Amino acid sequence: MSSSTLEPTVTTDDVGTNHWYLASAPVVRALVHLCVPMAAAMIVGAVYNVINAGFVGSLHDSALLAAITLGTPLLGLVMAIGGVFGVGGGALVSRMLGAVDRDPAQAGRIKHVSSFALWGSVIAGAVFGGLGLLLLHPLVSLLGADAAAAPATNAYVSVMLAFVPVLTAAFCLEQLVRAEGAARQVMIGLIGSTIANVVLDVLLILVLHQGVAGAALAMGLSNLGLVAYFALWLHRHSEHASLAPRWFTLSPSVLKPVFGVGVSELLQASFLIVTSLVLNNLAVAYGDSALGAMGVAVRIAQVPEFLVMGVTLGVLPLLAYAYGKGDRNRLHSAVLVSALAVGGISLVSAATVLAFREPLFSAFSADPSMLTIGVTILTAQLVAMVMNGFTGLLTSLFQATGRATPAIVISLAQGVLFIPIVILGNLWFGLSGIVWSLTVSESAVLLVAVVMWLVSRRAIERGLATGSAERAEQSLAPAAT
């Protein structure tokens, strides 16, 4: 491929725009633009979760806190449904934006993808929310609510289910805006929504005394505002995307690549819920100290994990754009720099957290037995984070290039491998087996991801060949791996 083929079709006036960051900005600068806002928004969201629990906790009713905890897996599943359309649609939009630089005729198809992604997420959310409301009582029992927590869990989950179409649409639109390279606008929207959520929490929980129903209502209304913000931004600033229902399509050329990539998100989230339930049920047998230490370790490890995820998720539009354009050098540079960033952040974060592990744990608990167990758990979590970071980067590469099979295999491996490993670890090594099971399973999943990458390398290289039949097809449908 000649160097002239890779020249971006941007002018000096385009410097600093979202398109410039995707098309021709230095890779390091592009990554900072895409990844830092992503990580910042995730950290703000984590802080909000703590604040929200504080508002509910101020009511001094453990059943209310239990309701929010029990509803968390359901919320994760709702976000995953939005992710099927958002991640799948966003990756396809970024690939097609790259193809537009080479072939302007591709532009018209972006409207079909963006409209299908939004309205598909709304329809799927409405179906899921409606079924959940019809089966509310069995669902609450399935979540693990006992007689004491059932009324509050019913109240929280029922309001959440009513807002499921809004929640799925918000997550989907977030990915579509990010697909345009507008990471800063996504961060502004998410932080603004979080602030609105806190204000509504104060009003509905502390002033109007709506309890957990108020917490769910605050979440729903703040996400409704987020939907309006993202939809307005796309309408005003996106040159090619459209959310108008008239562009909605069920064409296989749109459905196959969107679902091919998006299904891996749903599988991953589903397995995370299952593994979390299995882990908690096994750990509870070792007493409150072990369970509490596990919870504290997870919270401490969240910040470095979010920084790593900011890179692995934030780089996806850049990879997809470079692939859609057929820019081999830019794709390879983005993968290399992202890998260095993941490794650097992981090692520096792990070293820092371990160096200050005692004061960090002391901020959560003064129990010496919890500190002893917690340090071991934290070490295992941080090692697992390193493995998961590289797995996440390879997953983003597969999603960006439309490689559905490797992405799905990795998602399946994360659940299929962890469950037997944690059960056997518990049987053979007790608590230590549970603690290190995540590290062992993440190492195995990384090995699977590397194998899938080696198997897919030639197909990805063929797809990068500008003008080839496969690359042209890849912008609209997943190629076989």
Side-chain angles (χ1 to χ4, degrees):
M1 184 182 299
S2 65
S3 59
S4 61
T5 307
L6 300 179
E7 285 298 315
T9 57
V10 293
T11 66
T12 305
D13 294 334
D14 290 318
V15 172
T17 63
N18 294 320
H19 179 265
W20 177 74
Y21 280 110
L22 290 177
S24 56
V27 169
V28 173
R29 190 168 174 185
L31 283 176
V32 170
H33 171 79
L34 292 168
C35 301
V36 171
M38 178 80 181
M42 294 178 72
I43 291 171
V44 169
V47 171
Y48 163 73
N49 289 335
V50 175
I51 294 173
N52 186 47
F55 282 131
V56 175
S58 68
L59 302 178
H60 305 295
D61 187 341
S62 58
L64 301 183
L65 279 174
I68 291 182
T69 302
L70 293 170
T72 299
L74 184 63
L75 182 60
L77 186 58
V78 169
M79 294 296 99
I81 293 171
V84 170
F85 298 90
V87 176
L92 181 56
V93 165
S94 290
R95 286 202 301 276
M96 294 174 75
L97 286 172
V100 165
D101 274 1
R102 184 184 51 78
D103 179 12
Q106 298 279 352
R109 295 169 174 151
I110 296 176
K111 292 182 173 63
H112 292 295
V113 177
S114 53
S115 180
F116 168 74
L118 172 63
W119 295 108
S121 70
V122 170
I123 294 168
V127 171
F128 182 85
L131 288 174
L133 287 170
L134 287 174
L135 302 171
L136 181 61
H137 296 297
L139 177 60
V140 168
S141 299
L142 183 64
L143 290 172
D146 57 18
T153 307
N154 268 312
Y156 181 72
V157 169
S158 61
V159 176
M160 183 202 300
L161 289 170
F163 278 97
V164 166
V166 173
L167 299 175
T168 53
F171 191 79
C172 175
L173 287 171
E174 176 191 337
Q175 309 310 312
L176 292 178
V177 173
R178 184 174 285 118
E180 303 257 351
R184 191 176 303 159
Q185 286 73 25
V186 170
M187 179 185 70
I188 291 170
L190 292 176
I191 292 176
S193 175
T194 300
I195 293 171
N197 206 332
V198 170
V199 172
L200 289 168
D201 273 342
V202 172
L203 175 64
L204 295 170
I205 298 175
L206 301 184
V207 177
L208 298 179
H209 307 292
Q210 296 299 306
V212 288
L217 181 59
M219 177 177 62
L221 292 175
S222 62
N223 274 276
L224 186 60
L226 190 61
V227 168
Y229 170 78
F230 285 148
L232 186 62
W233 188 91
L234 285 168
H235 176 71
R236 289 182 175 178
H237 300 286
S238 177
E239 185 179 352
H240 304 298
S242 174
L243 304 178
R246 71 176 182 274
W247 296 106
F248 183 87
T249 179
L250 294 177
S251 168
S253 64
V254 173
L255 267 66
K256 287 181 180 178
V258 170
F259 286 135
V261 169
V263 164
S264 65
E265 287 290 305
L266 182 60
L267 289 173
Q268 187 177 43
S270 300
F271 277 123
L272 281 175
I273 293 168
V274 173
T275 53
S276 177
L277 292 172
V278 171
L279 189 63
N280 288 341
N281 277 286
L282 290 176
V284 74
Y286 293 92
D288 292 339
S289 291
L291 197 60
M294 198 168 289
V296 171
V298 168
R299 284 172 173 78
I300 293 174
Q302 266 187 341
V303 173
E305 282 176 355
F306 286 157
L307 292 175
V308 170
M309 289 173 67
V311 176
T312 59
L313 299 178
V315 74
L316 197 155
L318 179 61
L319 298 176
Y321 186 97
Y323 184 81
K325 189 178 179 181
D327 193 335
R328 177 183 288 104
N329 292 338
R330 191 164 180 79
L331 180 70
H332 291 176
S333 296
V335 172
L336 177 60
V337 174
S338 299
L340 292 173
V342 168
I345 292 171
S346 298
L347 293 175
V348 171
S349 299
T352 304
V353 169
L354 289 175
F356 296 97
R357 58 189 180 276
E358 292 192 13
L360 285 171
F361 261 92
S362 299
F364 288 89
S365 173
D367 184 351
S369 62
M370 185 179 290
L371 176 61
T372 304
I373 303 170
V375 170
T376 303
I377 296 173
L378 183 58
T379 303
Q381 289 270 340
L382 293 171
V383 175
M385 175 192 70
V386 178
M387 305 299 175
N388 184 256
F390 288 108
T391 301
L393 179 58
L394 288 173
T395 301
S396 288
L397 174 63
F398 294 138
Q399 291 176 335
T401 57
R403 305 283 142 186
T405 300
I408 291 173
V409 168
I410 292 172
S411 298
L412 287 171
Q414 286 179 316
V416 170
L417 292 175
F418 175 78
I419 294 174
I421 287 173
V422 71
I423 292 174
L424 291 175
N426 180 48
L427 288 174
W428 293 343
F429 305 106
L431 181 58
S432 295
I434 295 176
V435 169
W436 289 99
S437 59
L438 182 63
T439 308
V440 173
S441 63
E442 289 293 352
S443 301
V445 172
L446 177 57
L447 181 61
V448 171
V450 170
V451 170
M452 298 306 298
W453 172 64
L454 292 173
V455 170
S456 303
R457 283 180 69 186
R458 288 186 180 180
I460 292 173
E461 288 295 326
R462 287 197 304 268
L464 277 166
T466 302
S468 74
E470 182 183 341
R471 205 229 61 78
E473 181 186 353
Q474 190 68 22
S475 68
L476 286 178
T481 55

